[in-house]
Amino acid sequence: MLRDERGASEHTLRAYRRELHDFVEYLEAQMGEGAKIRSVEHTHNRAYLGVLYEKGLTKASAARALAAVRSWFKWMAKAGHVGQNPALLVSTPKLPKHLPRVPGVEELNRVMNSLAPEKTHVRKSGHGAPRDVADEEVAAWPERDRLIFELLYGCGIRNSELVGLDVKSIAWGDDAIRVFGKGKKERLVPLGDEAAAAVRAYLPLRNARLEKAGKAKLIHDGALLMNARMRGTCRLTTRSVGRIVKKIALSRGLAADVHPHTLRHAFGTHLLEEGADLRAIQEMLGHERLSTTQRYTQLTVGQVQRVYEETHPRAKP
């Protein structure tokens, strides 16, 4: 159901499979292997939550495990395997609100400007060879790496959405890219001038590499972002994007905890700071609920304070 109806990612499927496997093992230990699923009560779910805490799991991890169990029982109730969902009576652990640290507009503009074609350079070791595999992935293709930053920050898309882009995803006539988000939901995201310029600078190099690798058939139908070694389908992975973003961010003086999702947060935060409508931001980010987008309002309290101090007649003596 998760795969075929909700279009869940492989990462989500693996996580749910792991959580349910652990829960079933717990039930077998408590009730015996011959026990019927209909005999599971909410007390079993509540006790399992306690076991997770005893194992040292954080509230976030325990909440994720409970969510998987709750979804499983919801599906079984709908399919008639159980009479009701016993996990509904177990409260989800209250999670602390961790607001992500977001680089400022000037910081990110400085990084983006440094990735312009005339500013990029290949960092090598003393013998003229790439320092390691990760360095090689970063340094081997500056035009691609610039495009990664332009799409993550300029369009606010997720890492998984980024690597899922194909060449055909670019809707040049609409100045947009076609993105498939969570649940395979499709949306059009505006493609800014800088991002479009990065795409145009990158595509000829991409096509030349594909022809050299004997994979010309992927020029029109393949992935947009390619791995440097042209392996397999040549599609870049989310893990590689994470390494590229982190290495470039560190080399440009950003915080050590910067990752692809940081750039997405910055996209939403900076739009809101400049007065963009919250629902428009929700649409561009592909958030199902407006409450998810409203997190960005908490990130801009400083901006609100500055506006108040600069404009209200009673703000200063």
Side-chain angles (χ1 to χ4, degrees), residues 202-268:
Y202 161 75
L203 283 179
L205 302 174
R206 168 192 177 274
N207 298 347
R209 288 193 181 213
L210 283 171
E211 287 187 356
K212 185 177 180 180
K215 297 184 177 183
K217 62 181 181 180
L218 296 176
I219 289 178
H220 300 294
D221 296 319
L224 175 63
L225 293 171
M226 299 281 176
N227 61 62
R229 296 185 179 182
M230 293 289 154
R231 295 186 297 260
T233 61
C234 305
R235 190 179 297 274
L236 197 64
T237 65
T238 54
R239 183 171 296 181
S240 291
V241 170
R243 286 198 299 262
I244 291 167
V245 168
K246 183 170 286 293
K247 277 194 167 289
I248 290 178
L250 284 173
S251 70
R252 266 62 173 188
L254 295 184
D257 59 354
V258 169
H259 50 81
H261 213 70
T262 305
L263 300 179
R264 175 173 161 86
H265 280 305
F267 170 86

Side-chain angles (χ1 to χ4, degrees), residues 100-105 108 152-154 156 259-273 281 285 296 299-300:
R101 287 184 291 178
V102 176
V105 174
L108 279 178
L152 287 173
Y153 176 54
H259 50 81
H261 213 70
T262 305
L263 300 179
R264 175 173 161 86
H265 280 305
F267 170 86
T269 302
H270 295 167
L271 279 176
L272 191 62
E273 287 181 348
I281 299 174
L285 289 172
Y296 295 104
L299 298 176
T300 58

Side-chain angles (χ1 to χ4, degrees), residues 122-125 129-141 144-145 243-244 247-248:
V122 178
R123 291 189 306 156
K124 297 186 177 183
S125 67
R131 293 165 63 182
D132 54 37
V133 174
D135 272 346
E136 179 182 317
E137 190 66 49
V138 172
W141 209 335
R144 180 204 59 187
D145 300 342
R243 286 198 299 262
I244 291 167
K247 277 194 167 289
I248 290 178

Side-chain angles (χ1 to χ4, degrees), residues 129-180:
R131 293 165 63 182
D132 54 37
V133 174
D135 272 346
E136 179 182 317
E137 190 66 49
V138 172
W141 209 335
E143 294 83 5
R144 180 204 59 187
D145 300 342
R146 173 196 174 202
L147 179 57
I148 287 173
F149 270 75
E150 290 289 355
L151 292 176
L152 287 173
Y153 176 54
C155 301
I157 59 179
R158 300 177 178 93
N159 192 352
S160 58
E161 295 169 346
L162 174 75
V163 299
L165 292 175
D166 293 327
V167 174
K168 292 182 177 179
S169 301
I170 305 171
W172 290 110
D174 296 318
D175 292 326
I177 53 173
R178 185 169 286 102
V179 176
F180 288 92

Side-chain angles (χ1 to χ4, degrees), residues 113-132:
N113 291 337
S114 75
L115 296 174
E118 66 275 9
K119 298 292 181 66
T120 54
H121 62 279
V122 178
R123 291 189 306 156
K124 297 186 177 183
S125 67
H127 298 289
R131 293 165 63 182
D132 54 37

